[in-house]
Amino acid sequence: MNDYQKRFAACLAETGAIFFDQGLVLKDGRPSPYFVNMAMFKTGRLSLELGSFFAGMMVSQGIANRVDIVLGPSYKGSAIALSAAIALWQEHQMDLAFEYDRKEAKTHGEGSVSRSMFVNRSLFDGCRIFIVDDVATSMGTKFELLDKIASEARMAGQSFHVAGIGIGLDREQTTAVYDANGRVILGQRGENAIEDFVSRSGIPVFSVARIREVVDYIYKERIPVMIEGRRLPMDEKTKAEFDAYVRVYGVV
């Protein structure tokens, strides 16, 4: 792991953004031994820390010098785009624009003329965009954002290029499988959503860190993390439960 990835793992534990408990259920209906809530990066210091992790990823992957705009989908992605742009300037002297989208088109003020779905109106002909967000599950919201960017380009008569997508934590998890009645089928592995997205869109996806390496680092370094409401180093039982879960639902 790179230094920024180690700091990210430690910060996830410190903030309680990652925690382990019994009886957790994901939005897709599957049980999970852990949960991730990036909204826990909720102070000025922590927001800048999160931006620093994304900036580190962008620089180490050679992305930062190939894009003009960091775009974060509303709402969590908006804060990440801003903090990443600040960190890129403070730590790497790279001054990139940041942007985020509206949930609904603005119809008053400058919006009554432009009808733009993007707040800062920083997109320009030929611009290179890097999308940032906290996590990725089905990638459905990413496809929606790509449609919004394409629509904006058509309306402006311009060409925008999405150079990549960066997520905070890759949960390395397949999609859920459902029966004919829409009930989740436990113990079955679905598709690799990120791999499918890359195949369909042609856009590469990067992550600050992957869940396996984050948990392994927290476990080996005995970094205190929230487990069933208590902050303590990860025990063998909790680690074994995580490993068993990944064997069932994780990507190969």
Side-chain angles (χ1 to χ4, degrees):
M1 295 177 74
N2 292 325
D3 178 65
Y4 71 86
Q5 293 174 315
K6 293 176 181 178
R7 291 189 293 112
F8 181 50
C11 212
L12 286 170
E14 172 200 339
T15 59
I18 185 171
F19 62 92
F20 300 79
D21 211 336
Q22 302 296 317
L24 295 174
V25 179
L26 299 178
K27 186 177 181 180
D28 61 23
R30 287 179 293 183
S32 174
Y34 77 97
F35 195 74
V36 177
N37 178 14
M38 302 284 271
M40 296 304 290
F41 288 83
K42 57 188 177 183
T43 70
R45 174 181 70 85
L46 292 173
S47 177
L48 189 54
E49 284 269 27
L50 185 58
S52 177
F53 304 143
F54 274 83
M57 176 262 290
M58 292 176 67
V59 170
S60 69
Q61 295 287 349
I63 292 295
N65 59 5
R66 293 192 280 116
V67 299
D68 306 296
I69 300 166
V70 184
L71 191 160
S74 298
Y75 293 102
K76 289 182 181 178
S78 310
I80 295 173
L82 171 58
S83 60
I86 293 173
L88 281 166
W89 171 246
Q90 286 192 340
E91 299 175 11
H92 306 281
Q93 292 71 58
M94 305 181 77
D95 195 17
L96 302 185
F98 69 91
E99 185 61 89
Y100 53 101
D101 64 322
R102 305 179 192 277
K103 290 296 185 181
E104 297 177 354
K106 185 177 181 181
T107 57
H108 62 279
E110 76 281 4
S112 61
V113 176
S114 72
R115 301 288 180 177
S116 176
M117 289 298 291
F118 294 91
V119 177
N120 293 338
R121 299 176 65 187
S122 61
L123 305 184
F124 59 89
D125 194 25
C127 68
R128 302 164 299 175
I129 301 166
F130 188 68
I131 297 170
V132 294
D133 209 355
D134 55 350
V135 295
T137 304
S138 69
M139 299 299 287
T141 57
K142 309 303 183 289
F143 279 115
E144 291 173 7
L145 185 58
L146 292 181
D147 288 342
K148 190 176 289 187
I149 292 171
S151 176
E152 186 84 1
R154 287 192 299 271
M155 182 180 69
Q158 298 177 338
S159 175
F160 305 146
H161 173 63
V162 178
I165 293 178
I167 56 175
L169 187 66
D170 181 354
R171 293 194 281 211
E172 301 182 281
Q173 187 166 300
T174 57
T175 57
V177 177
Y178 301 94
D179 64 19
N181 296 314
R183 293 187 294 263
V184 66
I185 302 175
L186 300 181
Q188 287 200 22
R189 179 186 280 110
E191 302 297 322
N192 183 328
I194 292 179
E195 190 176 84
D196 178 66
F197 174 86
V198 173
S199 176
R200 291 169 59 188
S201 70
I203 298 172
V205 176
F206 306 87
S207 64
V208 175
R210 301 186 302 274
I211 188 62
R212 287 181 175 98
E213 61 188 1
V214 165
V215 172
D216 285 349
Y217 181 75
I218 291 172
Y219 175 68
K220 290 175 181 176
E221 297 298 320
R222 297 190 58 77
I223 297 173
V225 64
M226 292 299 294
I227 301 175
E228 298 183 21
R230 299 169 58 205
R231 188 177 297 279
L232 67 164
M234 187 180 298
D235 57 279
E236 293 183 6
K237 175 178 175 292
T238 302
K239 180 62 164 56
E241 289 174 347
F242 170 81
D243 290 340
Y245 179 79
V246 170
R247 282 194 295 271
V248 175
Y249 296 114
V251 297
V252 178

